[in-house]
Amino acid sequence: AHASQALRYVRSRMAHCTRGPTVEIQSDALIAFDANGEIKEVWRDAKAVDAQMMDVVKAARLDGRYMEGNAGQFLVPGFIDTHIHAPQYSYMGSGLDKPLLQWLDHYTFPAEAAFSDLDIAQEHYQRAVKKGLREGTTTAMYFATIHKEATKVLAHCLLEEGQRGFVGAVSMDVNPGVPHYGQQTEAALNDAEDLIVYLKSKLQQTQKRLMPVLTPRYVPTCSVELLKGLGHLAEKYDVHVQSHISESLDVLEEVDREHGVRDTYLFDDAKLLRPGSIFAHGVHLQEDELCLMAERGSSIAHCPLSNFFFAHGHLDVRRAFEAGVGVGLGSDVAGGYSISMLNAMRSAVLAHKAILIENKTRPDQLPQDNQVTHETGFYMATLGGAAALGLQDKIGSFEVGKRFDAVLVDLETPGNIDPMPTGLGKGRGGDASDAEDFERFINLADGRNIAKVWVDGHLVHAAEGYD
């Protein structure tokens, strides 16, 4: 009984994926989690909880360990952003009319070079992390800059704000377009190793939410020696790897000119295709490359919004799924102009529609399980993203033993989503059903509808009026 009394309880409508991209919705669920944020019990029907347990819940209500959502609210797992450039948040929304390589030279590298100033790093990193939490992102895979000390600043921002995340200093030793923004090979490898040791020993002793990640920028900015050195570090320390792969036609042409082989095989030769490695974009991956990634246990961060601007194509996530490659969603700030994972979900559906249009395929000619819908987008932003990062046993859904990373959604926040007229909905009395409310959330909501956010059971964001 004493252990039960220490638990915290949330009762609400609940939506999550438990296996694949099919959303399970419960109209009245009750979740119990402990002070460390571990989910101890999930009742899919709170009304079926026995009387003795309800006495325990009532006691929790009296001492502030109980929260109940109202009719317009429901609980979803925290969103997982599998690809975001933290320093690029500072100029998000700029320069999207340029080709990728020009955009990098004109905007990205000069902006990132400024992060050698730790005050600038502190200001912009804190803004990015806070904004992500306000939008419901509880876990993020971050690219930082080449600066080791500034990357530590990003790590401490995550710790201070309570977000779960992977943090990596960018490794790059080739950059002829902006020669002042780069590193010597040996220095890049030393910095990467120093950060792994720092994050593992100094920070993970008390905060398991923070993880290091090796971050070769992309092949044109990395020598083969650097890639192989990072592959050695990945094996030595058993850490995650992130980079870009098969992103755009101009990058592929540059890789072919320099190396005479596609970037997938360069990553594989360097032992960077491995379990726990995630590569952004993958738009132009060929079948043999997808099969190789599946064999190695590597995943793709699908960045549909930035792909519209820079990739000269769209990732067909159905091909990736069929090949056995895990796929998460990425905002790809600032190639993507929005940090919102809701926008990423909607963009994923649009990208699928664009592929159908290009192929002159009618949606009604496809079986339902071969469609990319709002449910598929939600899956990639939650459980699918967790699986892509190798964290499916820890986050991504509401199951016993997982962490309570959660977002309380409020469809009735004033000034955004108007209620569906009574009589049009499929729910009781002609009101919107739970499934319709969920779909409207994915398609219409923004940060105004994010009421509360928890990471590891700790409330890390409460919108005004929801304290």
Side-chain angles (χ1 to χ4, degrees), residues 250-319:
D250 50 353
V251 171
L252 281 174
E253 287 167 4
E254 188 170 335
V255 172
D256 185 59
R257 273 197 310 272
E258 289 295 319
H259 301 280
V261 65
R262 292 172 68 86
D263 52 6
T264 306
Y265 296 102
L266 289 166
F267 284 127
D268 192 47
D269 287 345
K271 295 186 166 52
L272 290 168
L273 286 190
R274 60 194 309 278
S277 65
I278 186 160
F279 294 86
H281 306 291
V283 170
H284 304 286
L285 287 168
Q286 298 171 346
E287 289 300 324
D288 56 330
E289 295 172 288
L290 283 169
C291 291
L292 179 61
M293 290 185 72
E295 185 182 325
R296 298 287 189 258
S298 299
S299 300
I300 296 172
H302 180 27
C303 304
L305 184 55
S306 64
N307 288 346
F308 273 106
F309 289 99
F310 293 126
H312 316 117
H314 308 288
L315 173 69
D316 190 339
V317 296
R318 299 165 306 165
R319 283 179 62 233

Side-chain angles (χ1 to χ4, degrees), residues 137-218:
T137 300
T138 53
T139 299
M141 176 71 90
Y142 284 111
F143 273 64
T145 64
I146 63 173
H147 311 105
K148 181 171 68 174
E149 296 306 315
T151 303
K152 292 179 183 178
V153 170
L154 175 58
H156 283 280
C157 285
L158 266 69
L159 290 178
E160 288 164 17
E161 301 301 330
Q163 191 179 45
R164 188 185 306 281
F166 295 82
V167 174
V170 169
S171 298
M172 51 189 289
D173 61 349
V174 180
N175 195 13
V178 186
H180 66 275
Y181 188 66
Q183 303 154 288
Q184 297 298 314
T185 308
E186 187 177 356
L189 291 170
N190 288 338
D191 283 355
E193 186 165 21
D194 287 350
L195 271 168
I196 291 172
V197 172
Y198 178 80
L199 292 174
K200 276 181 171 282
S201 65
K202 295 282 196 277
L203 299 177
Q204 280 194 300
Q205 290 170 359
T206 54
Q207 298 284 356
K208 299 297 183 186
R209 294 191 304 270
L210 186 68
M211 292 153 277
V213 55
L214 290 165
T215 309
R217 183 167 216 121
Y218 68 131

